[in-house]
Amino acid sequence: MEITTALRAQWAVLRAGRGRIIALAAAALAVLLLGLLPALTNLSSCSEGTVEVQCPTDPIGPDGAPVSDQSFFAHVPLGERGVITARMTELTGTITYPPPNHDQIVSGVVPWAKAGLIVKDGTGQGSDYAALLMTGAHGVRLQHSYRHDTAGRPGGVSPDQPRWLRLTRDGDTVTGEESADGTAWTRVGTARLPGLPATVQVGLFATSPGDLTLREIGLGGHVGEVRFTQAVGVFDHVTIDGAPVTGWQRDTVGELGHTDWEKYHRPAGLVEENGVLSVTGSGDIGPIGSMGSTRPESTLLGLVVALIVVIVAGARFGVGAAGRVIAARAAALGGLVLAGGLAVAGLTLTAGTLLMQHKGLPVAPLGPLTGLRVAAAREYCSPGLPRSRWRWGRCAAAPGLRRRPGSRWWWCRTCSAWCRCCRSR
């Protein structure tokens, strides 16, 4: 009873302080106005040299949300019914400038490097697909429509322990199976792709996402660093039933071939030799876009200003109080800031995102629960360059970089990410 009485008394004191209420209202207004600023002022453009080009954006998947869709794809047309079978003997690759020294290019694959069989609605980015694939560290998987993943047998692949993979199309249903010997088959899963056309593309693919690590920058903060990687899948005994007898068509889904590694060492592509097919690619196929979408939390820039105001108001509100009184004042002010802050942050996040979408700016998808988490506690993650690139000192001097004018971000063709790198190390 005494606690309730104390809270009511200090709540009355808090409301009576006209200066405190004005300060808190100004903090809320700062969050709202600064949150709408990115949407109102985002007029960025991209250029290659002196030529202005369209800024990269994420492809849109079958459900209307941005996705990642970048790989090398060797394919042939397939009708409404057909089967592709292959034996996979190797999954190798390359990782550029990994920790701890970031000064070497090494052999290896990242955990979610992928290579395998795929049925895809054309070669355009964002088109629907079903793939039976081998991963760098997660065994065999059946993935489809960018958001669905079914685990098969764990483990790796090697010439001594190959994996047989088989994809069967029957209308809009695709079934994935695996085998250790090509005789006894185990079903991994079935994918249903509504609206799949009568003729699709079927074949072999390879992709490998960037190698992401977090580097500590002090005061508990971290900066994400993404490095270019590449995967190579090796197949033999490849057979396709239900497809015309034609040669392989070779296509990159998305942009590949811009890095120095691809230009001068191993380009993305298909190599055929004595019935053995080696498919090389990089990128990713999955639910998270990475090319140019605006992050929703960019609308919460004003929280830093609001936090400073709240700290000052809280310190002044606690002057001269002690014991239960200061505890009651802290509870009253904290409750007001928590409730009001969540409301203002939620409003700002929603209004800013809708405004950016109305202006045609690509915005990364954000679910309701994720939105609540972002509003409650902002996260910072900035893709960065490997140390070897930072030794150039200034981004403008590093090859493979394309500036986004009017901002501190650069598009790095080496690490395939927007990089905040304009600083010496």
Side-chain angles (χ1 to χ4, degrees), residues 72-75 247-252 269-272:
F72 181 83
F73 186 19
H75 57 95
W248 292 102
Q249 300 177 49
R250 297 162 165 83
D251 281 297
T252 59
L270 170 67
V271 177
E272 298 181 75

PDB file of all heavy atoms in Angstrom, residues 72-75 247-252 269-272:
ATOM      1  N   PHE A  72      25.400 -19.667 -60.111  1.00  0.00           N
ATOM      2  CA  PHE A  72      25.613 -20.100 -61.483  1.00  0.00           C
ATOM      3  C   PHE A  72      24.716 -21.295 -61.741  1.00  0.00           C
ATOM      4  O   PHE A  72      24.601 -22.201 -60.910  1.00  0.00           O
ATOM      5  CB  PHE A  72      27.072 -20.483 -61.752  1.00  0.00           C
ATOM      6  CG  PHE A  72      27.276 -20.909 -63.183  1.00  0.00           C
ATOM      7  CD1 PHE A  72      27.472 -19.962 -64.169  1.00  0.00           C
ATOM      8  CD2 PHE A  72      27.216 -22.248 -63.543  1.00  0.00           C
ATOM      9  CE1 PHE A  72      27.618 -20.333 -65.496  1.00  0.00           C
ATOM     10  CE2 PHE A  72      27.350 -22.628 -64.864  1.00  0.00           C
ATOM     11  CZ  PHE A  72      27.550 -21.673 -65.844  1.00  0.00           C
ATOM     12  N   PHE A  73      24.095 -21.339 -62.929  1.00  0.00           N
ATOM     13  CA  PHE A  73      23.051 -22.312 -63.230  1.00  0.00           C
ATOM     14  C   PHE A  73      23.313 -22.901 -64.616  1.00  0.00           C
ATOM     15  O   PHE A  73      23.272 -22.188 -65.624  1.00  0.00           O
ATOM     16  CB  PHE A  73      21.693 -21.597 -63.189  1.00  0.00           C
ATOM     17  CG  PHE A  73      20.492 -22.490 -63.347  1.00  0.00           C
ATOM     18  CD1 PHE A  73      20.555 -23.858 -63.123  1.00  0.00           C
ATOM     19  CD2 PHE A  73      19.267 -21.952 -63.729  1.00  0.00           C
ATOM     20  CE1 PHE A  73      19.435 -24.666 -63.265  1.00  0.00           C
ATOM     21  CE2 PHE A  73      18.142 -22.749 -63.866  1.00  0.00           C
ATOM     22  CZ  PHE A  73      18.231 -24.107 -63.632  1.00  0.00           C
ATOM     23  N   ALA A  74      23.603 -24.206 -64.672  1.00  0.00           N
ATOM     24  CA  ALA A  74      23.700 -24.942 -65.930  1.00  0.00           C
ATOM     25  C   ALA A  74      22.404 -25.725 -66.088  1.00  0.00           C
ATOM     26  O   ALA A  74      22.063 -26.536 -65.225  1.00  0.00           O
ATOM     27  CB  ALA A  74      24.898 -25.887 -65.911  1.00  0.00           C
ATOM     28  N   HIS A  75      21.682 -25.514 -67.198  1.00  0.00           N
ATOM     29  CA  HIS A  75      20.301 -26.010 -67.238  1.00  0.00           C
ATOM     30  C   HIS A  75      19.874 -26.424 -68.636  1.00  0.00           C
ATOM     31  O   HIS A  75      20.499 -26.062 -69.647  1.00  0.00           O
ATOM     32  CB  HIS A  75      19.348 -24.921 -66.725  1.00  0.00           C
ATOM     33  CG  HIS A  75      19.448 -23.638 -67.487  1.00  0.00           C
ATOM     34  ND1 HIS A  75      18.621 -23.307 -68.541  1.00  0.00           N
ATOM     35  CD2 HIS A  75      20.322 -22.589 -67.371  1.00  0.00           C
ATOM     36  CE1 HIS A  75      18.947 -22.120 -69.017  1.00  0.00           C
ATOM     37  NE2 HIS A  75      19.980 -21.657 -68.333  1.00  0.00           N
ATOM     38  N   GLY A 247      22.436 -29.512 -75.471  1.00  0.00           N
ATOM     39  CA  GLY A 247      23.580 -29.180 -74.638  1.00  0.00           C
ATOM     40  C   GLY A 247      23.163 -28.304 -73.470  1.00  0.00           C
ATOM     41  O   GLY A 247      22.073 -27.732 -73.440  1.00  0.00           O
ATOM     42  N   TRP A 248      24.061 -28.202 -72.495  1.00  0.00           N
ATOM     43  CA  TRP A 248      23.785 -27.381 -71.324  1.00  0.00           C
ATOM     44  C   TRP A 248      23.765 -25.911 -71.705  1.00  0.00           C
ATOM     45  O   TRP A 248      24.635 -25.429 -72.423  1.00  0.00           O
ATOM     46  CB  TRP A 248      24.849 -27.598 -70.255  1.00  0.00           C
ATOM     47  CG  TRP A 248      24.836 -28.951 -69.631  1.00  0.00           C
ATOM     48  CD1 TRP A 248      25.685 -29.986 -69.899  1.00  0.00           C
ATOM     49  CD2 TRP A 248      23.933 -29.408 -68.625  1.00  0.00           C
ATOM     50  NE1 TRP A 248      25.366 -31.070 -69.124  1.00  0.00           N
ATOM     51  CE2 TRP A 248      24.297 -30.747 -68.318  1.00  0.00           C
ATOM     52  CE3 TRP A 248      22.858 -28.834 -67.948  1.00  0.00           C
ATOM     53  CZ2 TRP A 248      23.625 -31.506 -67.380  1.00  0.00           C
ATOM     54  CZ3 TRP A 248      22.187 -29.595 -67.003  1.00  0.00           C
ATOM     55  CH2 TRP A 248      22.562 -30.908 -66.724  1.00  0.00           C
ATOM     56  N   GLN A 249      22.765 -25.205 -71.205  1.00  0.00           N
ATOM     57  CA  GLN A 249      22.760 -23.747 -71.291  1.00  0.00           C
ATOM     58  C   GLN A 249      23.405 -23.207 -70.017  1.00  0.00           C
ATOM     59  O   GLN A 249      23.128 -23.696 -68.922  1.00  0.00           O
ATOM     60  CB  GLN A 249      21.331 -23.214 -71.425  1.00  0.00           C
ATOM     61  CG  GLN A 249      20.595 -23.718 -72.657  1.00  0.00           C
ATOM     62  CD  GLN A 249      19.172 -23.223 -72.709  1.00  0.00           C
ATOM     63  OE1 GLN A 249      18.917 -22.024 -72.542  1.00  0.00           O
ATOM     64  NE2 GLN A 249      18.229 -24.127 -72.945  1.00  0.00           N
ATOM     65  N   ARG A 250      24.248 -22.218 -70.181  1.00  0.00           N
ATOM     66  CA  ARG A 250      25.004 -21.689 -69.045  1.00  0.00           C
ATOM     67  C   ARG A 250      24.551 -20.269 -68.747  1.00  0.00           C
ATOM     68  O   ARG A 250      24.633 -19.400 -69.608  1.00  0.00           O
ATOM     69  CB  ARG A 250      26.502 -21.716 -69.348  1.00  0.00           C
ATOM     70  CG  ARG A 250      27.072 -23.120 -69.552  1.00  0.00           C
ATOM     71  CD  ARG A 250      28.408 -23.065 -70.276  1.00  0.00           C
ATOM     72  NE  ARG A 250      29.160 -24.305 -70.201  1.00  0.00           N
ATOM     73  CZ  ARG A 250      28.972 -25.340 -71.000  1.00  0.00           C
ATOM     74  NH1 ARG A 250      28.036 -25.271 -71.957  1.00  0.00           N
ATOM     75  NH2 ARG A 250      29.711 -26.430 -70.857  1.00  0.00           N
ATOM     76  N   ASP A 251      24.107 -20.028 -67.509  1.00  0.00           N
ATOM     77  CA  ASP A 251      23.620 -18.699 -67.124  1.00  0.00           C
ATOM     78  C   ASP A 251      24.033 -18.380 -65.702  1.00  0.00           C
ATOM     79  O   ASP A 251      24.124 -19.263 -64.836  1.00  0.00           O
ATOM     80  CB  ASP A 251      22.091 -18.626 -67.220  1.00  0.00           C
ATOM     81  CG  ASP A 251      21.606 -18.430 -68.648  1.00  0.00           C
ATOM     82  OD1 ASP A 251      21.933 -17.382 -69.233  1.00  0.00           O
ATOM     83  OD2 ASP A 251      20.925 -19.328 -69.174  1.00  0.00           O
ATOM     84  N   THR A 252      24.273 -17.091 -65.456  1.00  0.00           N
ATOM     85  CA  THR A 252      24.419 -16.609 -64.083  1.00  0.00           C
ATOM     86  C   THR A 252      23.094 -16.004 -63.662  1.00  0.00           C
ATOM     87  O   THR A 252      22.504 -15.212 -64.402  1.00  0.00           O
ATOM     88  CB  THR A 252      25.532 -15.558 -63.975  1.00  0.00           C
ATOM     89  OG1 THR A 252      25.225 -14.456 -64.832  1.00  0.00           O
ATOM     90  CG2 THR A 252      26.879 -16.141 -64.356  1.00  0.00           C
ATOM     91  N   GLY A 269      31.108 -20.768 -63.645  1.00  0.00           N
ATOM     92  CA  GLY A 269      30.799 -21.440 -64.891  1.00  0.00           C
ATOM     93  C   GLY A 269      30.722 -22.939 -64.748  1.00  0.00           C
ATOM     94  O   GLY A 269      30.748 -23.495 -63.636  1.00  0.00           O
ATOM     95  N   LEU A 270      30.624 -23.609 -65.886  1.00  0.00           N
ATOM     96  CA  LEU A 270      30.527 -25.068 -65.978  1.00  0.00           C
ATOM     97  C   LEU A 270      31.690 -25.587 -66.804  1.00  0.00           C
ATOM     98  O   LEU A 270      31.957 -25.091 -67.898  1.00  0.00           O
ATOM     99  CB  LEU A 270      29.203 -25.470 -66.634  1.00  0.00           C
ATOM    100  CG  LEU A 270      29.044 -26.956 -67.011  1.00  0.00           C
ATOM    101  CD1 LEU A 270      28.978 -27.819 -65.757  1.00  0.00           C
ATOM    102  CD2 LEU A 270      27.818 -27.161 -67.883  1.00  0.00           C
ATOM    103  N   VAL A 271      32.370 -26.598 -66.280  1.00  0.00           N
ATOM    104  CA  VAL A 271      33.456 -27.262 -66.992  1.00  0.00           C
ATOM    105  C   VAL A 271      33.093 -28.735 -67.144  1.00  0.00           C
ATOM    106  O   VAL A 271      32.820 -29.414 -66.147  1.00  0.00           O
ATOM    107  CB  VAL A 271      34.797 -27.108 -66.251  1.00  0.00           C
ATOM    108  CG1 VAL A 271      35.895 -27.879 -66.979  1.00  0.00           C
ATOM    109  CG2 VAL A 271      35.172 -25.637 -66.117  1.00  0.00           C
ATOM    110  N   GLU A 272      33.098 -29.232 -68.384  1.00  0.00           N
ATOM    111  CA  GLU A 272      32.799 -30.637 -68.674  1.00  0.00           C
ATOM    112  C   GLU A 272      34.068 -31.333 -69.145  1.00  0.00           C
ATOM    113  O   GLU A 272      34.755 -30.842 -70.032  1.00  0.00           O
ATOM    114  CB  GLU A 272      31.734 -30.760 -69.756  1.00  0.00           C
ATOM    115  CG  GLU A 272      30.392 -30.169 -69.407  1.00  0.00           C
ATOM    116  CD  GLU A 272      29.379 -30.357 -70.527  1.00  0.00           C
ATOM    117  OE1 GLU A 272      28.881 -31.494 -70.706  1.00  0.00           O
ATOM    118  OE2 GLU A 272      29.102 -29.369 -71.230  1.00  0.00           O
TER     119      GLU A 272
END
